[in-house]
Amino acid sequence: MAHAIISENLPPNIDPTKAPIAFGERALPKLNEELQNANLLTRQRALMALCDLVHDPEIAYQAISLGFLETLKALLTDDNRTVRQKTTEVFYLLANHNVGRDGFLSSDVIIPLSQLLDDPVAICRVNMHKAFEMLSEFPYGFHAGTSNSNCVNTRTRAVGLVEAGLVPKLVKKLETEVEEVQGLILDTLYFCLKVEACEALQAGAVSILKEKLQHPSVAIRSKAAYAMMGVSLPMAGKDAVCKEEVIPILVLLLRDTNAEVRANAAGALMNVTTTTPGKYAALHSGAIPALLPLVTDSLSKMRLNALKCLSNLAETSEGRKTLMHHTSLLQELLDDPSEAVRKAATIALSVIEWKP
């Protein structure tokens, strides 16, 4: 005979680590209340549930509209490591959405989040740097909370990181952070350096990046060369690269086994060789023999960067004299599938064949 006995166990589809979600429009306001609850377990379970929800951009928009960013900023200083970890994870997930990135700027999230630069929990720092990298990578977006798609945010998001004074701190962190975080910092720095490189130069970015160019990790070498492209955009950066004797290392990287490392090294040389000291430093380091094989590489940006660098070197009498023997190789690129490469090849040939 059957008995009506109610089990004390939770149903199998209920996760006890996550807060139960309220029905309908009450769901997010209820979670926001639980995030501010004095009970630690309640806050943790609410954060676990929120991490699942904000993958959806519509829910992310609703959460930001309901003031979740202010609540989450307060949780960044929580004494519990799990709370800080899940809070930074929520910020990273929000940074994946356009509305979240705009919310970072409108709600002044950057500085409170940057307080975790020295957090003892590595995953908190990783999530924080992932959020910053996403913020810096996408230059333009719509104003948070704006329904008009024509209302474009005219300030680049990387400017927010620069204005918060994070660039010198990020440069210094390259010397002490774990390898995974170093890669994220280098990605973020590249976009920040395109906005403003002076603070990074004052913080010794060139000498620190010089060390990273010789890192055993392929990813770090590639991203360091990428960041060197950014730091060498202004004249002060080009001068610092020459003074720190970085050019011989960049020339050496042109023969690296990794294609991205070679392409980024060629891009950094392309920027530096626009100056006379840069041209001659590259020539004396053997840049032309290292660059010529790259003009036929399968990677289009490799061909483009190498051609532009060769054009710069051809502006010297020594470079032009050497490259006169290789015009047939460059003429083959006039039929390149990439329009940018064809244009660069045309310019390179005109510089090499120029006669006074």
Side-chain angles (χ1 to χ4, degrees):
M1 180 177 178
H3 296 280
I5 299 176
I6 299 175
S7 172
E8 294 182 358
N9 297 325
L10 291 172
N13 61 337
I14 298 295
D15 188 345
T17 66
K18 299 175 184 177
I21 306 301
F23 181 75
E25 295 181 355
R26 181 59 184 155
L28 288 176
K30 178 64 174 176
L31 271 183
N32 201 10
E33 293 172 9
E34 292 176 344
L35 290 175
Q36 302 172 62
N37 195 289
N39 183 270
L40 174 60
L41 183 59
T42 301
R43 296 199 303 276
Q44 290 176 340
R45 295 177 68 195
L47 283 166
M48 295 287 188
L50 187 60
C51 282
D52 285 345
L53 292 175
V54 293
H55 285 279
D56 186 333
E58 183 176 348
I59 292 180
Y61 172 80
Q62 293 173 1
I64 291 172
S65 300
L66 290 170
F68 269 69
L69 290 179
E70 293 301 321
T71 304
L72 291 167
K73 283 196 295 184
L75 291 177
L76 289 172
T77 59
D78 199 283
D79 293 333
N80 183 261
R81 58 184 295 167
T82 302
V83 170
R84 297 198 307 278
Q85 173 188 336
K86 301 309 290 186
T87 302
T88 54
E89 184 178 338
V90 172
F91 275 121
Y92 165 58
L93 293 172
L94 288 173
N96 281 270
H97 305 303
N98 192 58
V99 66
R101 294 187 290 268
D102 283 342
F104 274 42
L105 298 179
S106 61
S107 298
D108 297 320
V109 167
I110 294 174
I111 291 179
L113 191 56
S114 69
Q115 301 303 313
L116 273 66
L117 279 168
D118 297 311
D119 195 280
V121 182
I123 189 62
C124 292
R125 304 197 305 275
V126 169
N127 288 335
M128 176 200 65
H129 284 292
K130 283 182 177 179
F132 284 158
E133 193 276 331
M134 291 297 296
L135 183 67
S136 66
E137 184 176 351
F138 292 88
Y140 298 102
F142 308 126
H143 287 293
T146 303
S147 58
N148 183 5
S149 61
N150 294 320
C151 185
V152 177
N153 187 349
T154 56
R155 90 182 214 169
T156 62
R157 296 196 180 100
V159 169
L161 297 173
V162 174
E163 291 179 347
L166 285 190
V167 172
K169 297 178 182 178
L170 293 175
V171 170
K172 294 300 182 183
K173 280 295 176 183
L174 281 173
E175 297 181 294
T176 57
E177 271 292 3
V178 296
E179 188 174 304
E180 180 184 2
V181 176
Q182 287 182 37
L184 293 169
I185 292 174
L186 287 168
D187 286 336
T188 304
L189 275 177
Y190 172 76
F191 297 105
C192 291
L193 291 169
K194 291 178 69 175
V195 174
E196 174 59 62
C198 291
E199 290 185 350
L201 290 170
Q202 293 171 2
V206 172
S207 60
I208 294 173
L209 290 175
K210 178 182 176 181
E211 294 179 7
K212 300 305 173 184
L213 289 173
Q214 305 168 77
H215 199 279
S217 167
V218 170
I220 296 298
R221 291 201 304 275
S222 175
K223 292 179 179 184
Y226 198 47
M228 194 67 78
M229 288 176 60
V231 84
S232 59
L233 284 171
M235 183 58 67
K238 302 179 200 297
D239 292 340
V241 170
C242 293
K243 183 179 179 181
E244 295 282 347
E245 298 182 347
V246 178
I247 291 178
I249 299 174
L250 291 172
V251 172
L252 186 63
L253 290 179
L254 295 175
R255 295 185 172 90
D256 195 276
T257 55
N258 183 267
E260 286 294 328
V261 174
R262 297 195 301 271
N264 292 339
L269 283 171
M270 172 189 69
N271 288 341
V272 179
T273 53
T274 56
T275 67
T276 301
K279 289 179 174 64
Y280 281 99
L283 285 172
H284 296 154
S285 299
I288 290 180
L291 286 166
L292 285 171
L294 303 185
V295 300
T296 56
D297 194 274
S298 59
L299 196 63
S300 62
K301 74 172 183 178
M302 180 95 74
R303 301 194 299 275
L304 182 62
N305 290 344
L307 282 168
K308 288 184 175 182
C309 191
L310 287 172
S311 295
N312 292 338
L313 297 178
E315 293 175 355
T316 66
S317 57
E318 296 92 331
R320 187 179 302 111
K321 183 178 179 180
T322 302
L323 290 169
M324 281 294 293
H325 303 290
H326 301 279
T327 54
S328 59
L329 175 64
L330 301 184
Q331 286 171 348
E332 295 176 6
L333 296 171
L334 297 177
D335 297 321
D336 194 273
S338 168
E339 182 181 352
V341 172
R342 293 196 301 270
K343 182 178 179 180
T346 302
I347 294 172
L349 285 168
S350 66
V351 175
I352 295 168
E353 296 173 347
W354 176 83
K355 294 181 180 179

